[in-house]
Amino acid sequence: LAPLFAQKDSSGQTPMSILAKHLLSRGPKPSRPAAVEVPAPDTAGEEVTLEVEDEVQGKVVRFSCRSSLLQLSQRFSQELRAQPDRQPQTLKVAPDCCRSARVLQEAFALLSGSVSDVSMDGRELWQLLSFCVQYGLPELKAWASNRLLHCIHDDANAAVLPMLLRGAKACGLSSAERRYVLYCLLTTPEALLSAGHSQNGAARQAKVLQVALAELETFTRPSRTGDVHSAPRGPCRAVDVPLEGTKLRSAYAAAEAAEAAPEPYPQLCPIFDEKK
């Protein structure tokens, strides 16, 4: 049924566009959030080597950054303390949250102040956001999520919308930001169609629609105080992170084969797992 939601009727409307109008009937048109400033640079500390399993190059890529940047992350800080007292120190980035060396090189160059801005497409920003959530980098996470919200209206980044909608709560997006993501999805038919361009695509599209309808209900149902934009309560939903690579594709296929599995996708980012 998912493709029917993007089909136009005789008047040129689609079920998704009608739902978007319903969303607007209960509040103002969602707009992009104000831009967030780049995190303040920090260049102190010893050099540490990071290892990333790069999906594009098909190999492990190594690059250096300052330890002070890694100390911003509680996870990296713990890994640094656990390492033997030797130089140089080497840390490996978990491939289940980021498999792009370029994304992390650009991000740490931004944090160090060696560049004033970086250029990333929607999928790269999604990987950066996943990395920031899992490694606990709040300032960089705020910048990544803000930049991602500023690009999802582009047709070229439509494929990111289903993932962002599902992961909005886990990524810490505000109520207004989640409402903006929902509006973008409902007004971008290509976004829903893109979710079907994979194995088990129909199930993926159905899951996206399920989350979209749940979010729509949240934003159109008045609360006790009469505020239709109040933040919902309840556990965070799991988030999709369909990163390419043989290992991840194998995990995806294994999850599909498990008939008793309640969720049709593998949980590629452990921090996003739904709390039982």
Side-chain angles (χ1 to χ4, degrees):
L1 295 177
L4 297 178
F5 274 73
Q7 287 187 6
K8 295 182 179 180
D9 60 15
S10 58
S11 63
Q13 297 188 99
T14 68
M16 291 180 65
S17 66
I18 294 174
L19 292 175
K21 290 180 179 180
H22 184 53
L23 179 66
L24 295 181
S25 70
R26 299 303 180 94
K29 181 179 179 179
S31 58
R32 290 185 296 178
V36 172
E37 295 184 0
V38 176
D42 191 340
T43 58
E46 302 292 334
E47 283 196 351
V48 177
T49 299
L50 286 183
E51 294 184 349
V52 184
E53 292 184 18
D54 191 90
E55 64 181 0
V56 175
Q57 301 184 46
K59 63 179 183 180
V60 174
V61 176
R62 298 174 177 83
F63 65 94
S64 299
C65 66
R66 295 293 179 179
S67 61
S68 58
L69 301 179
L70 301 180
Q71 294 291 346
L72 299 174
S73 161
Q74 182 178 7
R75 177 169 173 173
F76 272 140
S77 296
Q78 293 175 345
E79 292 180 2
L80 283 172
R81 289 195 296 269
Q83 291 228 336
D85 187 15
R86 59 180 175 81
Q87 298 293 337
Q89 292 181 303
T90 301
L91 298 177
K92 183 177 181 179
V93 176
D96 57 1
C97 67
C98 185
R99 295 175 67 90
S100 173
R102 193 187 88 81
V103 166
L104 295 188
Q105 285 176 312
E106 294 278 8
F108 282 109
L110 186 68
L111 285 174
S112 67
S114 58
V115 297
S116 58
D117 198 7
V118 296
S119 177
M120 297 185 191
D121 61 23
R123 187 175 181 280
E124 291 173 329
L125 286 167
W126 172 249
Q127 289 204 57
L128 178 59
L129 180 56
S130 300
F131 169 78
C132 291
V133 172
Q134 185 157 335
Y135 277 84
L137 292 164
E139 292 185 356
L140 187 57
K141 180 178 78 72
W143 179 88
S145 61
N146 181 267
R147 184 61 67 92
L148 184 56
L149 291 172
H150 275 249
C151 79
I152 56 176
H153 67 285
D154 295 334
D155 291 341
N157 297 316
V160 180
L161 273 168
M163 298 184 292
L164 184 58
L165 178 72
R166 290 204 63 206
K169 293 181 183 179
C171 291
L173 297 190
S174 67
S175 178
E177 291 170 338
R178 286 172 34 227
R179 188 169 179 267
Y180 175 68
V181 173
L182 175 62
Y183 179 76
C184 287
L185 179 89
L186 294 176
T187 55
T188 310
E190 297 81 3
L192 180 60
L193 295 176
S194 70
H197 297 163
S198 62
Q199 292 183 341
N200 204 23
R204 186 178 292 273
Q205 287 177 318
K207 189 65 176 180
V208 173
L209 281 175
Q210 180 184 356
V211 176
L213 292 173
E215 286 285 75
L216 181 65
E217 182 181 7
T218 295
F219 294 121
T220 56
R221 181 183 63 234
S223 66
R224 294 180 179 178
T225 60
D227 179 15
V228 298
H229 306 304
S230 59
R233 297 179 181 179
C236 294
R237 294 183 178 274
V239 64
D240 288 331
V241 189
L243 308 182
E244 300 296 329
T246 303
K247 179 179 179 181
L248 299 182
R249 284 195 293 269
S250 298
Y252 188 87
E256 288 181 335
E259 296 181 355
E263 172 64 45
Y265 320 117
Q267 302 305 319
L268 300 181
C269 271
I271 198 170
F272 293 146
D273 285 351
E274 184 172 353
K275 303 298 184 183
K276 302 295 183 183

